[in-house]
Amino acid sequence: MLFNSALFLLLFFPVVTLLYYLVPQPARWRVLLVASCYFYAVGIPAYLLVLAAVIVIDFTAGILIEQSTGTKRKAILAASLASNLLLLGVFKYADFLSGNLTALAALIGWNYSLATLGWLLPIGLSFHTFQSMAYTIEVYRGAQRAERHFGYFALYVLFYPQLVAGPIERPQHLLPQLHRPPLLSARGLRGGLAGLAEPCIMSGLQLMLLGLFKKLVIADRLALAVDPIYSDPHLYPGAALLIATGFFAIQIYCDFSGYTHIARGAAMTMGVDLAHNFKATYGARSIGDFWRRWHISLSSWFRDYVYVPLGGNRVSAAKWARNVLITFFLSGLWHGASWTFIAWGVLHGCYLIAGRATSGIRASIVTALRLQTMPRLHGAMQSLIVLALVTFAWIFFRAESLADAWFIVTSIPAAGAQVLGLLRGAPEGVMVRLGLAGLPIAKHEWALMFVLAIGVVAFDQRRWHAPFVFELALRPAWVRVSAAYALIFSVLFLGVYRTATFIYFQF
Amino acid sequence: MKVLFRVLLFVAPIVAVAWLVERTARPLWPEAVGPGMVERIDRSFADASAGGYDVLVVGNSRVYRGVNPDLLGARAYNFAQDDDAFNQVYYKLKYLDERGVRFHTIVMGVDYFEFSFLSDRRNVAYSKYLGDEYLRDFASPDVSRAAHILNTVLHPIDEQAFNNTMIRQFTRPASLLLERAVTVMQASPPRPPIRAVLKPNGQYILDAGPQRVDPIRRDATRLPIQEQYFKRILQWAAERKVSVVMVMPPLRKMELDAYPPGIVDAFDDWLERAAADHGAAYVNFARDPGFTDQDFADVTHLTEAAADRWSRMLGDTLRSRTTR
């Protein structure tokens, strides 16, 4: 089920939230579990069986790990992780692997073809297997007690707000909240209809509204330009490709952070506080900083369960570079069974390695230009450079093939001349000169897109204290009400209504 | 009670503003988009059922917008519609036949991609005219009752209808007002509005402006079901001694290039053979040098002026067939 669908907004969410408050606390997990199964079944019901397999395996593994010691404990963990990875491998990577083996065989002259499975990837499989694996690893490390209640463990994997695209929760954070929502228990666990007046409901609804704004007004609007250009990049000049790439950087950010706001908001209405996934991402001052602000729950997963066990940064420079490349290779692969995602991940790894290798030179430049005396200017320059590097990497993420990505990369340098050429042209020829005239988008809509895209980047430059909604909560009532109306009217009048799925649902 | 009152107080301005925007934008609506899809189809069926013409024009949007029946040199009516393929054309002919409407010629638009889809986008309007037999093609095969019930439970809301409502009530009126506001702020003469008109002769005009870039994808697959309906139309006409002129509309070079090499020529051969087998004619304007990119209102459709020019050419074709 999509968060931006009528089914979710008009039926599922209001009914489930109302039921949640109407039933007594001990039975609420049942309401949520049934609702979560329905939420998932709206896609392909049969794939609930895949989730059931993950749940049964890791629930059993958790208890067995806790009861075991020594090598047996390690063996159970390995078996649990292997089962999860096998499921992921079969559904997500089998066809990619067989396609590559077939291509490799052809390259060396073998007439060898492997059959492809052609199975649809269960929505969000990468998210819930990673969340489930985090549970068994934490139990193995002794940081989490094994959950003995099958219903609560099933809910930990299936909890509908974060089921299909995260945030990837840690058991220590989510499981206790499912037993006893802290935002409600702090107020004495009010139940019944009176519970609906809880402030967490209002905060949750505000977060959801902000998420819908980011998705419907910004991300889906920018997609109107990005999708046709990236589906046939060869038809467009460099300037159009540059604009589409810039727009995609904003689109994916608003799409994913919009999803996360709705997920966190929906959970918050039930008193559950999900993990933060974004912190003013495009205000990042370095690539490392970017990864502390972008998809935080995934990057911290890779940090804790891949990068640190490999040795992290407490090793030689060469081994550190190896650890970074392995981690980012796997991060790219996690996003999708395609070389474009792998290239995207490895490129980010290279950025980090290059950043460390050039830290001395960059420090000398800062000193020579006396930028340390102008911290705002220095920060803005750093942010712009990070934005440019990250946006460049998005080309590989969004392109439909490596060949398309390479075409775009090699076409963009010509954009400068095309944009400069505008200065000599008549204003009515702008869209034609940029190669954008063929898209069914009116001029005022283009203007709106540019305003929204620049607005998102500018907004992220503010100093991040807390999520926007919490910052807003400290303002006077008239500011809060005005902001709510502004968001509602924007969603209603400027939203793009076409039931577009969220980009991260495909992972 | 207090909570309910506060909710109502909060919602009231939203309803008021939505109403105001919709009311203010309403006068701009018809000139920008013309009558809605259901209204166009209703009018089209009513006018076509009234009869009084000798030539019936059928096909998809290229013909719907591209053929001006008044210039065909005969009493004609344009019964085409956006997204129509041969299944819709067949049932439309059957619909008129059952109502005793007679004509001696059918001008049927054919498109290289018209065989490649089975569109249900207009079924909300077509279902009341074309009946259960037409709708049967859209039913999912081998769906058990349990699967049907499960599907209904899992998808109780028509998402497309919801989106259409949101567009009609909110985003389209706001977009029209925003566009008008930008024009006023620029203090420049207002841009001529997009003309959207449904003519009494059935032709639909939706003029935008010539486009240079053409991000177009075309699929020349021939679905068996559409081939079947295509042949049924030709047989139906042959049985009633109605002559059929199949016309391939003028296409942009970039569109022709979007097809895999050789497919267009093979398709032409196939259409010519099918026409010969059923005593019909096939007239191909796809590469007519008289039409350039400037003659297209968008990636696919002719401008009103180009449509008139093509209609005169079609009229000449029809006359030459009659006098032959």
Side-chain angles (χ1 to χ4, degrees):
Chain A
M1 190 185 303
L2 296 173
F3 280 157
N4 53 337
S5 65
L7 176 58
F8 178 79
L9 295 170
L10 304 181
L11 198 64
F12 180 87
F13 173 71
V15 169
V16 171
T17 310
L18 193 66
L19 277 176
Y20 179 81
Y21 278 96
L22 286 178
V23 301
Q25 164 65 20
R28 284 178 178 171
W29 69 269
R30 291 192 175 93
V31 171
L32 283 180
L33 193 57
V34 172
S36 298
C37 288
Y38 177 85
F39 182 89
Y40 195 76
V42 167
I44 300 175
Y47 280 166
L48 267 175
L49 296 173
V50 179
L51 256 82
V54 171
I55 291 165
V56 170
I57 290 168
D58 290 331
F59 176 73
T60 315
I63 294 171
L64 291 177
I65 287 169
E66 198 172 66
Q67 291 170 346
S68 313
T69 52
T71 50
K72 190 180 172 192
R73 189 177 166 87
K74 196 175 267 184
I76 297 167
L77 174 70
S80 156
L81 296 182
S83 308
N84 281 286
L85 292 173
L86 184 69
L87 274 176
L88 204 54
V90 167
F91 280 100
K92 191 163 180 174
Y93 300 108
D95 286 352
F96 176 64
L97 188 68
S98 70
N100 279 290
L101 286 177
T102 305
L104 191 66
L107 202 66
I108 54 176
W110 286 0
N111 185 16
Y112 178 70
S113 175
L114 282 170
T116 52
L117 298 173
W119 290 350
L120 274 179
L121 177 71
I123 295 173
L125 185 65
S126 306
F127 285 94
H128 36 255
T129 48
F130 267 46
Q131 180 157 317
S132 204
M133 284 195 287
Y135 166 78
T136 46
I137 295 170
E138 293 299 320
V139 172
Y140 173 80
R141 288 177 173 179
Q144 167 70 34
R145 287 193 60 78
E147 174 61 56
R148 304 289 164 148
H149 191 295
F150 184 75
Y152 277 113
F153 181 74
L155 191 56
Y156 165 72
V157 178
L158 280 165
F159 186 47
Y160 89 79
Q162 45 87 243
L163 174 61
V164 288
I168 301 168
E169 287 288 339
R170 302 299 171 88
Q172 300 94 318
H173 186 240
L174 183 58
L175 266 170
Q177 295 195 68
L178 295 176
H179 282 279
R180 187 168 284 261
L183 299 180
L184 293 184
S185 49
R187 293 169 182 279
L189 276 173
R190 286 170 66 179
L193 282 172
L196 285 169
E198 291 288 346
C200 59
I201 298 247
M202 293 313 295
S203 303
L205 291 177
Q206 284 170 9
L207 255 182
M208 292 174 75
L209 190 57
L210 182 62
L212 284 171
F213 172 79
K214 282 185 163 183
K215 169 66 177 163
L216 295 176
V217 180
I218 305 177
D220 287 355
R221 184 161 292 284
L222 295 176
L224 297 176
V226 175
D227 291 350
I229 293 176
Y230 262 83
S231 67
D232 271 316
H234 298 266
L235 295 173
Y236 294 89
L241 296 170
L242 180 66
I243 289 168
T245 303
F247 277 3
F248 179 68
I250 309 299
Q251 182 204 343
I252 190 167
Y253 175 42
C254 290
D255 191 285
F256 195 19
S257 65
Y259 162 83
T260 306
H261 286 323
I262 301 172
R264 296 192 69 244
M268 196 174 286
T269 57
M270 295 176 287
V272 175
D273 181 27
L274 292 181
H276 289 292
N277 233 2
F278 297 90
K279 284 183 180 175
T281 304
Y282 286 142
R285 304 291 170 88
S286 68
I287 294 295
D289 189 23
F290 171 82
W291 282 101
R292 286 187 289 275
R293 294 162 177 256
W294 169 268
H295 203 176
I296 299 165
S297 63
L298 179 72
S299 41
S300 60
W301 196 102
F302 273 107
R303 181 197 63 209
D304 294 347
Y305 303 133
V306 178
Y307 177 70
V308 172
L310 282 171
N313 56 4
R314 295 180 178 183
V315 287
S316 67
K319 280 191 175 169
W320 170 79
R322 179 206 65 183
N323 295 346
V324 166
L325 283 177
I326 289 173
T327 306
F328 277 93
F329 171 86
L330 291 175
S331 168
L333 193 62
W334 177 90
H335 281 84
S338 161
W339 287 106
T340 51
F341 291 117
I342 293 171
W344 170 78
V346 170
L347 187 56
H348 269 279
C350 293
Y351 284 163
L352 280 175
I353 294 166
R356 183 157 154 172
T358 58
S359 59
I361 302 168
R362 286 184 290 119
S364 338
I365 293 171
V366 168
T367 312
L369 296 174
R370 303 184 65 181
L371 285 173
Q372 72 274 27
T373 59
M374 297 171 277
R376 276 175 173 258
L377 176 67
H378 186 203
M381 286 171 69
Q382 285 175 313
S383 281
L384 273 178
I385 292 167
V386 171
L387 180 62
L389 290 172
V390 169
T391 303
F392 179 77
W394 286 131
I395 294 174
F396 293 89
F397 191 97
R398 179 61 181 83
E400 292 181 2
S401 66
L402 277 181
D404 275 5
W406 185 246
F407 175 81
I408 294 166
V409 167
T410 52
S411 300
I412 281 180
Q418 285 156 6
V419 173
L420 284 176
L422 289 179
L423 299 173
R424 298 191 296 271
E428 59 268 25
V430 169
M431 303 319 275
V432 173
R433 281 160 178 265
L434 291 176
L436 299 168
L439 296 172
I441 299 169
K443 272 186 191 168
H444 70 281
E445 290 176 311
W446 281 112
L448 185 62
M449 287 183 192
F450 279 104
V451 168
L452 289 170
I454 293 167
V456 168
V457 177
F459 190 77
D460 273 5
Q461 302 310 309
R462 81 197 198 287
R463 205 168 153 203
W464 201 89
H465 296 289
F468 174 64
V469 169
F470 296 129
E471 283 184 13
L472 197 64
L474 302 173
R475 308 280 175 187
W478 71 268
V479 176
R480 295 200 307 270
V481 173
S482 305
Y485 277 127
L487 287 175
I488 289 170
F489 287 133
S490 300
V491 168
L492 287 177
F493 295 118
L494 302 176
V496 175
Y497 292 93
R498 55 171 191 163
T499 319
T501 187
F502 289 86
I503 294 171
Y504 265 71
F505 273 28
Q506 63 183 299
F507 308 134
Chain B
M1 199 63 194
K2 195 179 163 190
V3 171
L4 191 65
F5 177 73
R6 286 175 67 180
V7 169
L8 287 175
L9 201 66
F10 185 79
V11 170
I14 300 169
V15 175
V17 171
W19 179 82
L20 197 66
V21 168
E22 203 269 335
R23 291 284 296 194
T24 317
R26 197 179 288 174
L28 307 175
W29 187 270
E31 80 178 21
V33 291
M37 179 263 285
V38 174
E39 187 188 340
R40 280 190 281 130
I41 289 175
D42 285 346
R43 276 168 58 181
S44 168
F45 271 83
D47 292 345
S49 303
Y53 45 84
D54 300 317
V55 177
L56 184 72
V57 181
V58 287
N60 64 13
S61 59
R62 281 210 232 257
V63 172
Y64 187 35
R65 304 180 197 188
V67 176
N68 181 349
D70 295 344
L71 302 174
L72 292 180
R75 293 186 308 158
Y77 185 76
N78 189 331
F79 197 27
Q81 186 57 242
D82 292 350
D83 280 341
D84 269 8
F86 300 103
N87 60 320
Q88 278 100 1
V89 170
Y90 173 76
Y91 286 107
K92 280 180 165 185
L93 293 175
K94 208 169 159 228
Y95 175 87
L96 295 178
D97 193 43
E98 285 164 2
R99 277 149 190 80
V101 180
R102 299 285 174 261
F103 37 87
H104 62 61
T105 302
I106 297 171
V107 173
M108 180 164 71
V110 286
D111 238 322
Y112 298 117
F113 68 89
E114 202 171 329
F115 290 85
S116 68
F117 60 88
L118 186 71
S119 171
D120 61 357
R121 289 175 61 186
R122 278 155 180 77
N123 281 1
V124 64
Y126 277 161
S127 55
K128 68 180 169 190
Y129 296 108
L130 303 182
D132 291 343
E133 195 187 341
Y134 163 74
L135 290 175
R136 218 168 286 149
D137 290 331
F138 297 92
S140 307
D142 305 325
V143 172
S144 66
R145 188 168 167 72
H148 177 73
I149 291 169
L150 180 66
N151 190 50
T152 310
V153 169
L154 292 178
H155 303 99
I157 293 181
D158 182 346
E159 296 291 339
Q160 186 65 48
F162 170 74
N163 287 336
N164 288 343
T165 304
M166 295 303 287
I167 291 166
R168 194 172 55 246
Q169 292 296 323
F170 298 108
T171 59
R172 190 63 70 85
S175 181
L176 289 172
L177 287 179
L178 195 60
E179 188 170 16
R180 184 55 60 97
V182 168
T183 310
V184 170
M185 279 194 304
Q186 284 177 336
S188 57
R191 190 173 64 109
I194 294 171
R195 219 160 75 78
V197 179
L198 179 61
K199 290 183 175 178
N201 63 19
Q203 186 194 13
Y204 182 54
I205 301 295
L206 186 63
D207 259 347
Q211 311 290 332
R212 191 176 287 183
V213 181
D214 192 354
I216 203 161
R217 278 188 173 176
R218 289 289 187 239
D219 179 6
T221 311
R222 284 203 300 268
L223 295 180
I225 189 169
Q226 293 296 6
E227 264 195 45
Q228 205 178 38
Y229 277 114
F230 172 72
K231 286 177 182 163
R232 281 169 84 174
I233 292 165
L234 296 179
Q235 277 161 8
W236 180 93
E239 284 162 12
R240 286 159 185 76
K241 305 214 178 326
V242 173
S243 63
V244 178
V245 179
M246 302 189 302
V247 290
M248 180 66 70
L251 306 183
R252 300 173 66 189
K253 186 180 176 300
M254 285 186 93
E255 177 165 357
L256 280 167
D257 292 345
Y259 290 103
I263 202 88
V264 167
D265 292 336
F267 221 113
D268 285 334
D269 290 345
W270 184 81
L271 285 170
E272 270 164 19
R273 274 201 309 278
D277 290 348
H278 293 87
Y282 173 51
V283 194
N284 188 348
F285 293 89
R287 292 189 175 91
D288 193 296
F291 295 92
T292 66
D293 281 1
Q294 297 302 308
D295 291 315
F296 288 82
D298 53 33
V299 294
T300 314
H301 306 102
L302 291 172
T303 60
E304 187 178 6
D308 283 355
R309 210 162 69 240
W310 185 45
S311 302
R312 286 193 191 91
M313 293 162 82
L314 271 177
D316 293 342
T317 306
L318 292 179
R319 272 190 296 280
S320 69
R321 275 182 59 80
T322 318
T323 52
R324 195 165 55 200

